[in-house]
Amino acid sequence: MTSPKPKTTQTMKPETAAKKLGVLLSATPAEFQEGVVSRDELNELQSKPPAWLADLRRNGPHPKQVVAAKLGVSISGLIRGGITEPLTTAEIDALKAENPAWLERERSIQAEARKEALRLKQR
């Protein structure tokens, strides 16, 4: 008979953990950037975020996928609009208030894409 193998702890790189948490890796504390994150640690960060994580999620800077979601456009739409750098919540709010032509256009493109996806799903 073979003895059962000990369970290994599943870990991930800080880049992966930051993406799963919806934050920009370069804005996280050094100890987060330099270590590895276990699945249990990630679950703990998600369920009980420390102050630095709550602040990052609230104020940014935000990664492109979060910026795109907050603006209601695709990541490609951000790039077409000239947004290539991470933005803070204040910068996103300012863009929403300004509502430039590119943002309006990209939002309508995104709305059409969602409608089409829904139509195809209902087939």
Side-chain angles (χ1 to χ4, degrees), residues 17-24 27-28 32 41-63 66-67 70 87-90 92:
K19 190 171 186 174
K20 288 180 181 286
L21 292 169
V23 296
L24 196 63
T28 60
F32 181 85
E41 289 170 332
L42 179 70
N43 291 339
E44 181 74 16
L45 286 169
Q46 287 174 327
S47 64
K48 297 176 197 152
W52 64 265
L53 180 56
D55 185 52
L56 269 179
R57 286 178 167 170
R58 185 174 38 258
N59 301 318
H62 302 289
V66 174
V67 173
K70 286 181 179 262
L87 298 179
T88 63
T89 300
I92 292 169

Side-chain angles (χ1 to χ4, degrees), residues 87-105:
L87 298 179
T88 63
T89 300
E91 292 168 326
I92 292 169
D93 291 342
L95 254 177
K96 284 179 179 178
E98 184 185 323
N99 201 22
W102 72 264
L103 182 56
E104 233 175 275
R105 184 177 58 252

